[in-house]
C-alpha cells in the first residue's frame, strides 16, 4: 500500500494535467506533488461547510483503487 497525493480541483477553464503539473513543479517541493489530478464540477461540502473528504474518497478514489 503506497500513499499518494491526489489533487481535486474546480476550474472555470480547462487545465491540461501536464501544464498543471509544470506549474506545481515550479511552486513546491517534489515530495508534495500530486500523482493524480481529478477535476470536479464543484466541491461537495459537509453541513459545517468543510470539504467532504469522505465523499471524495468513497466516490473517486475507491473506484480507482487509491484508497
Amino acid at each position: 500500500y503506497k500513499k499518494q497525493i491526489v489533487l481535486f480541483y474546480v476550474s472555470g477553464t480547462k487545465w491540461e494535467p501536464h501544464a498543471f503539473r509544470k506549474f506545481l513543479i515550479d511552486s513546491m517541493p517534489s515530495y508534495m506533488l500530486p500523482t493524480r489530478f481529478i477535476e470536479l464540477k464543484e466541491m461537495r461540502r459537509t453541513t459545517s461547510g468543510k470539504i467532504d473528504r469522505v465523499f471524495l474518497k468513497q466516490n473517486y478514489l475507491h473506484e480507482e483503487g487509491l484508497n
Side-chain angles (χ1 to χ4, degrees), residues 6-60:
V6 178
L7 177 89
F8 293 96
Y9 67 98
V10 177
S11 175
T13 60
K14 182 68 177 164
W15 280 81
E16 292 297 326
H18 67 277
F20 206 179
R21 185 167 178 77
K22 171 73 172 107
F23 170 77
L24 294 175
I25 286 171
D26 295 340
S27 305
M28 61 181 50
S30 62
Y31 67 88
M32 294 178 69
L33 293 174
T35 54
R36 301 279 299 147
F37 296 84
I38 300 175
E39 183 176 11
L40 304 174
K41 292 181 182 177
E42 64 180 350
M43 285 287 180
R44 184 170 172 174
R45 299 194 178 264
T46 64
T47 55
S48 63
K50 297 178 182 178
I51 293 174
D52 191 344
R53 295 181 349 193
V54 173
F55 174 81
L56 292 174
K57 184 175 181 182
Q58 289 175 345
N59 291 282
Y60 293 97

